[in-house]
Amino acid sequence: QGQLMESGGGSVQAGGSLRLSCVASGDTYSNCMGWFRQGPGKEPEGIAALRLDGWGTYYVDDIEGRFTISRDDAKKTVYLQMTSLKPEDSATYYCAADPYDRFCNTVLRGTPKYWGQGTQVTVSG
């Protein structure tokens, strides 16, 4: 069936940048690809998504303008470029995919079929 494998997390100072990568294998490279994050004691929330058919890119308000989602179809890879990081961005970040576009909407709600294992982002300062 395949899997989603994230990388690129780490620890940075406030104002810094990180780029997360998600490599999809098997059947997991789906029309709807995106990122969720889960802070301590919180539920996972969708923060960014894009449709591979080109019909939409979605962000939650508190990251728009700071984070950019992109893809490389040849590599079956989705990226999340994060800039101007804030301490409140600290969370475990999960790559997610869904062939039925369940979370590719303006409120980024819906349960993906596929999840990665998560990568930790810690922003200090």
Side-chain angles (χ1 to χ4, degrees):
Q1 188 173 12
Q3 61 181 353
L4 300 172
M5 184 67 69
E6 304 99 334
S7 62
S11 297
V12 295
Q13 294 286 327
S17 299
L18 285 172
R19 188 177 80 157
L20 304 183
S21 300
C22 171
V23 179
S25 62
D27 295 334
T28 61
Y29 199 62
S30 304
N31 190 57
C32 176
M33 302 289 297
W35 294 90
F36 283 62
R37 69 184 179 187
Q38 185 174 21
K42 297 183 179 180
E43 293 292 318
E45 60 167 342
I47 61 169
L50 57 72
R51 291 181 54 165
L52 303 186
D53 60 12
W55 281 99
T57 304
Y58 311 93
Y59 297 98
V60 294
D61 289 345
D62 64 353
I63 68 160
E64 192 154 19
R66 299 189 297 122
F67 294 8
T68 304
I69 188 171
S70 62
R71 72 182 195 259
D72 183 332
D73 293 336
K75 296 181 178 179
K76 292 189 176 181
T77 300
V78 176
Y79 303 98
L80 186 68
Q81 178 68 50
M82 305 186 293
T83 64
S84 301
L85 282 160
K86 305 174 183 179
E88 52 264 43
D89 293 319
S90 297
T92 301
Y93 283 70
Y94 296 92
C95 181
D98 192 87
Y100 307 110
D101 302 339
R102 280 180 280 218
F103 65 96
C104 274
N105 52 68
T106 56
V107 292
L108 288 149
R109 289 183 187 160
T111 302
K113 181 175 182 180
Y114 304 113
W115 293 87
Q117 83 289 349
T119 186
Q120 181 66 38
V121 171
T122 303
V123 185
S124 59

